[in-house]
Amino acid sequence: MRGAALPLSSGRRIPLRFRHLSISAFGSVKIRLLLCCCVALAFLLLAFGCRHCPSLPPSLPPPGKGYTILINTWKRNDLLKQSIVHYASCRGVNSIHIVWSEPDPPSDSLHDFLRQATQMNSKGGKYIEVRFDLNQEDSLNNRFKEIKGLRTDAIFSIDDDVIFSCSSVELAFSVWQSAPMSMVGFVPRVHWLDKSRDSVEHYRYGGWWSVWWMGTYSMVLSKAAFFHHKYLDLYTNHMPAAIRDYVTKNRNCEDIAMSLLVANVTGAPPMWVKGRVFEIGSTGISSLGGHSRRRSECLNVFAPIYGHMPLIATNAKVIDSRHSWFW
């Protein structure tokens, strides 16, 4: 026999084994619905419950994480204060080093203001060390003097009279992390071979309008750029002394010297990141007459010391497409 069957109102019968399958299928649907409810409840608890989680106490970021602000200043304490108040609010800042080459040491009141302002503006009460790196000699080479005991691989070199939004700085930092031996910055410049002088190779320096017109660049200036902290050691202790001497004597071109150094190590071009900039200082030396000529002279002095021109041109640009209409 095939077993008992249940009667139906129509007089037809359905085998008992099919009834068992229907009950099983209905039960599995209920189990699935219950599991879905449990998963949804777990997500709700994660989303809303963490609002009441206790915050962790302030602490130093682990070594190698984040970046060090290396800020160059000269008798502009008001601009220095504005800059540090701003950059202390950026998420990735680990510490701030101020290159100080003035004859008088920073005052106690300046120390206190910067320390308090940094703690008030840091994200989540994170501790950010603020330190003055004092120099006896007034030289532009001081901005790249080797610093012992840094907690980060990344250096963000910045002048005290330019401010970039934290979102732009974090974008540049993420780009630098993808190529940590490269120089990643916001201010592109270009060089080219002047073929009008056939007897000797002669290079010319081009500012922003040259970059815009030619669509290429070969340098990013250290007034706003990321680079690896090892380049401080290379610049101070291994770069040809003749280049440092020229920078000290002529009070110019330390940024070109750093660009040449990095390019000579990597054999690659720098990386330009488009960022939002606010200039809070007065016009700098780039506005003075003969600026491009003096910068061209630096290129023609430095390149023969290396025995070749290390700089490499590129036309790549990094932008944040979330804040740009054209990309």
Side-chain angles (χ1 to χ4, degrees):
M1 293 181 64
R2 294 185 177 179
L6 295 177
L8 298 176
S9 58
S10 62
R12 297 175 60 190
R13 295 175 178 270
I14 180 170
L16 191 58
R17 63 177 178 274
F18 290 132
R19 180 172 177 270
H20 290 163
L21 288 173
S22 299
I23 292 173
S24 260
F26 181 69
S28 67
V29 170
K30 289 195 294 183
I31 291 171
R32 291 192 188 101
L33 288 173
L34 182 60
L35 287 173
C36 289
C37 290
C38 291
V39 170
L41 180 60
F43 276 115
L44 289 173
L45 289 174
L46 287 173
F48 296 102
C50 287
R51 292 181 179 180
H52 306 287
C53 296
S55 58
L56 295 175
S59 61
L60 283 169
K65 302 299 183 182
Y67 50 88
T68 297
I69 297 279
L70 184 60
I71 186 166
N72 192 56
T73 189
W74 175 259
K75 295 187 177 182
R76 300 192 292 194
N77 289 351
D78 55 336
L79 301 186
L80 178 64
K81 291 176 181 178
Q82 290 183 59
S83 292
I84 290 184
V85 165
H86 167 70
Y87 289 116
S89 67
C90 296
R91 186 175 67 251
V93 176
N94 182 291
S95 63
I96 299 174
H97 283 249
I98 303 164
V99 180
W100 190 270
S101 302
E102 298 179 22
D104 298 321
S107 65
D108 292 339
S109 61
L110 181 59
H111 272 283
D112 293 340
F113 175 89
L114 295 181
R115 183 166 52 250
Q116 294 174 14
T118 300
Q119 293 313 118
M120 288 178 59
N121 290 278
S122 64
K123 293 294 185 183
K126 176 182 65 175
Y127 174 74
I128 298 175
E129 179 190 22
V130 180
R131 176 175 145 186
F132 286 86
D133 296 330
L134 306 181
N135 298 281
Q136 299 297 322
E137 181 187 14
D138 176 18
S139 170
L140 290 177
N141 291 316
N142 292 340
R143 73 178 304 163
F144 301 133
K145 188 172 289 186
E146 183 183 13
I147 301 174
K148 300 291 187 181
L150 285 177
R151 293 179 54 85
T152 70
D153 290 333
I155 296 285
F156 181 49
S157 173
I158 189 76
D159 282 354
D160 60 5
D161 61 348
V162 289
I163 288 180
F164 287 85
S165 68
C166 287
S167 60
S168 295
V169 175
E170 298 300 332
L171 172 62
F173 178 51
S174 67
V175 173
W176 177 86
Q177 288 177 304
S178 69
M181 291 299 104
S182 297
M183 201 165 175
V184 177
F186 295 105
V187 185
R189 296 293 184 262
V190 68
H191 83 287
W192 66 90
L193 184 62
D194 187 355
K195 297 185 178 180
S196 64
R197 304 189 181 187
D198 298 327
S199 58
V200 179
E201 287 188 342
H202 184 82
Y203 299 98
R204 293 187 62 184
Y205 172 90
W208 162 247
W209 290 113
S210 296
V211 173
W212 179 83
W213 180 257
M214 298 169 68
T216 61
Y217 64 96
S218 55
M219 294 168 272
V220 290
L221 300 187
S222 55
K223 69 183 298 179
F226 278 94
F227 53 80
H228 198 283
H229 74 78
K230 80 170 190 176
Y231 289 118
L232 297 179
D233 169 53
L234 292 177
Y235 187 102
T236 303
N237 302 314
H238 302 281
M239 189 178 70
I243 296 178
R244 291 193 302 274
D245 293 341
Y246 183 96
V247 168
T248 297
K249 179 180 178 181
N250 293 274
R251 297 191 62 79
N252 205 335
C253 298
E254 84 288 353
D255 48 0
I256 293 180
M258 177 58 86
S259 289
L260 286 164
L261 172 66
V262 176
N264 192 59
V265 170
T266 63
M271 302 177 75
W272 170 26
V273 176
K274 183 180 179 182
R276 297 165 55 195
V277 60
F278 304 93
E279 296 195 21
I280 60 175
S282 57
T283 305
I285 63 172
S286 60
S287 63
L288 301 177
H291 176 69
S292 293
R293 176 184 56 77
R294 288 191 292 271
R295 305 279 277 181
S296 296
E297 181 180 315
C298 293
L299 289 172
N300 289 290
V301 170
F302 297 166
I305 295 175
Y306 281 102
H308 68 290
M309 171 52 77
L311 297 176
I312 298 174
T314 181
N315 55 14
K317 178 173 68 173
V318 179
I319 65 171
D320 187 346
S321 61
R322 297 170 300 175
H323 303 112
S324 179
W325 286 97
F326 302 101
W327 58 284

